[in-house]
Every structure is written in structure tokens, then in C-alpha cells.
Amino acid sequence: MDDYKSIVSYQTQDHGYIRIKLRQLLDERQVTRNKLRTLTGVKYDVTNRYYQAERVQMVDLDFLAKVCCVFGCEISDLLEYCPQPETRPENE
């Protein structure tokens, strides 16, 4: 257990964050949020929330699986662990 860092004694901002990269994926592939909604069958507000990377406290694994299926991509194309909390952009 000595090889692991306990997060219990750390502040929330000390453990980093998960960056949602849906905006980059859609922009690279020139796919709109509305088109993604049509392809996945997921409500626009869900698609938009992930695109904006706002108010995402817990990820919807079903939504992420659908996006990976539609684009033939990996989960790492959608999510990234960032251990440097001081570099976190305002909208993430």
C-alpha cells in the first residue's frame, strides 16, 4: 500500500481532474452536436453538456460507449486525467 498516494488527506483540487475532450473530437471530425444527438439517440442537452464540459460531475458510461461506437474511437479520445489542477481551464 506504500506505493499509492492517499487522497483522503488532500484537498479536492490536489488530486487533479478529468478533462472531457468531446469538443475537440467533434471539431476534428466536423460533426455538430445535433448530428451527434441523431447518431447516438441521446438528448441534445446531454450532448451539449459534454461538449461544453459543464456540470459533468459523474460520467454516463452508456453515452461514452455510444460515442466510441459511432466514431470508432477509444475512451482516451474522450477523457483525459490531468494531475496538474493549477492548469485547469475555467470551463472544465
Side-chain angles (χ1 to χ4, degrees):
M1 195 80 158
D2 295 336
D3 296 338
Y4 302 102
K5 177 171 45 172
S6 171
I7 64 168
V8 175
S9 63
Y10 291 84
Q11 298 294 322
T12 303
Q13 63 272 18
D14 290 340
H15 62 263
Y17 67 100
I18 302 297
R19 184 168 76 95
I20 300 172
K21 303 188 299 185
L22 182 63
R23 177 188 300 255
Q24 291 86 344
L25 182 70
L26 293 181
D27 291 350
E28 286 171 6
R29 298 183 185 218
Q30 298 178 339
V31 174
T32 65
R33 289 170 271 180
N34 198 39
K35 179 70 173 179
L36 182 62
R37 179 196 59 80
T38 302
L39 292 169
T40 60
V42 176
K43 292 181 179 180
Y44 181 84
D45 64 320
V46 173
T47 303
N48 189 53
R49 187 170 58 240
Y50 280 88
Y51 182 85
Q52 299 284 337
E54 294 177 352
R55 302 181 325 268
V56 179
Q57 299 278 327
M58 298 171 59
V59 295
D60 181 343
L61 297 177
D62 187 54
F63 171 73
L64 296 176
K66 287 177 180 180
V67 173
C68 287
C69 179
V70 165
F71 290 118
C73 66
E74 299 292 324
I75 195 70
S76 59
D77 295 322
L78 298 172
L79 302 175
E80 175 185 13
Y81 171 65
C82 300
Q84 312 289 326
E86 62 273 4
T87 63
R88 183 176 185 169
E90 289 283 326
N91 66 345
E92 293 187 17

